[in-house]
Amino acid sequence: REAKPTGAALVEYRSGAGRILVTSFVPASRGGYTLWKRLLTNAGVVLTERKAAPDQAFDEFGHLTSALVCGSFGAATAAAAYDEDNIGIGAALHPKPGDTSGLEWRAKPADDEGVLDFKKMGLPGPMENAAVYLSFWVWSPRPLDDLLVEPNLPKLALRFGSDDGCQVWLNSKRIQEDRGMHPYTPDEFTADALPLARGWNHFIVKVVQGTGEWQFGAHLTCSDPAFLGQIRTSVTDPTPAASGDP
């Protein structure tokens, strides 16, 4: 038999007056989804995209596209940076763009591959042995924090990669930590079954830098794709104008 080269394929089947398209291409990044959409468009598929809100933190595929960034904050060593709280993480922390309470938060976009590259942001402060913080918000139409009451709840996860290590807080509670020194790998880590409350939930991510590159990327996945479509996100604090609904 003829040897087939490795790679993705798109196969079309005719079915009556219609057709079925099957592809082995599985997009693993924001750039991959752009290529996937172009592939289907070139095949004549009409795609309807959900209009993004102007302050949206995640795109329609669940990839983090923008966040508030604060830093950088120097430390004696990269290891020491994990144990320092430079921003006062807690329920009272509600970051806003600009200089608030001595902390300057800036809205920064991810690149076309869904990567926040801190060395390209022009941040003040050191670029080695340091830490930066990210802030973003996620709205859930129902509580996901009590499996005893409702065991069949959708399971929402935050998959992410970082260079170097990072720590993740949800509503002031640390839910994930990696103190490694390593390059960025998409989806290397997962915070499973996020215990979201109904309404708006606040995420803080600290990304620690030793030397070399300094990056972060993340996306949301869910056991129920329909529920993921109901999720809303925001770069800036939406809670002053919100009462549980987006």
Side-chain angles (χ1 to χ4, degrees):
R1 299 178 60 180
E2 180 184 355
K4 301 295 183 182
T6 59
L10 177 65
V11 179
E12 177 179 332
Y13 295 91
R14 291 290 177 177
S15 178
R19 58 186 183 142
I20 299 172
L21 296 174
V22 179
T23 181
S24 60
F25 176 62
V26 180
S29 67
R30 186 182 173 197
Y33 275 104
T34 300
L35 179 61
W36 175 76
K37 289 190 291 185
R38 187 182 304 125
L39 183 71
L40 294 180
T41 300
N42 291 342
V45 177
V46 178
L47 300 175
T48 301
E49 295 190 23
R50 185 174 65 188
K51 186 176 181 181
D55 200 36
Q56 189 170 293
F58 290 77
D59 65 16
E60 68 269 32
F61 298 108
H63 288 91
L64 181 65
T65 58
S66 185
L68 288 183
V69 178
C70 187
S72 70
F73 299 93
T77 64
Y82 290 103
D83 298 318
E84 296 180 7
D85 180 359
N86 307 101
I87 61 172
I89 297 171
L93 180 64
H94 289 257
K96 295 178 176 61
D99 192 3
T100 59
S101 302
L103 300 173
E104 188 170 356
W105 293 87
R106 303 170 178 84
K108 295 291 185 179
D111 64 19
D112 290 341
E113 293 297 321
V115 177
L116 288 150
D117 193 329
F118 305 111
K119 283 200 165 182
K120 295 180 180 179
M121 292 183 180
L123 300 176
M127 293 289 104
E128 295 185 353
N129 295 326
V132 295
Y133 295 83
L134 309 179
S135 171
F136 53 86
W137 298 77
V138 175
W139 180 88
S140 174
R142 58 196 291 195
L144 304 181
D145 54 357
D146 196 342
L147 292 175
L148 294 178
V149 174
E150 194 172 350
N152 296 320
L153 285 171
K155 293 180 176 59
L156 191 70
L158 181 72
R159 305 183 67 185
F160 59 92
S162 64
D163 180 346
D164 287 301
C166 70
Q167 297 165 312
V168 182
W169 287 263
L170 169 58
N171 296 329
S172 306
K173 180 180 180 180
R174 192 165 67 197
I175 59 170
Q176 193 80 10
E177 178 179 64
D178 162 56
R179 296 196 175 209
M181 304 294 287
H182 46 68
Y184 170 77
T185 302
D187 298 346
E188 185 174 12
F189 307 103
T190 303
D192 281 315
L194 296 172
L196 299 186
R198 181 183 182 274
W200 286 105
N201 297 264
H202 189 202
F203 285 82
I204 291 287
V205 180
K206 177 199 282 186
V207 186
V208 170
Q209 160 74 336
T211 60
E213 299 298 319
W214 195 5
Q215 300 172 328
F216 180 82
H219 80 277
L220 293 168
T221 62
C222 188
S223 60
D224 181 354
F227 180 79
L228 185 60
Q230 300 175 42
I231 293 293
R232 300 292 179 262
T233 65
S234 180
V235 173
T236 57
D237 180 5
T239 55
S243 59
D245 295 322

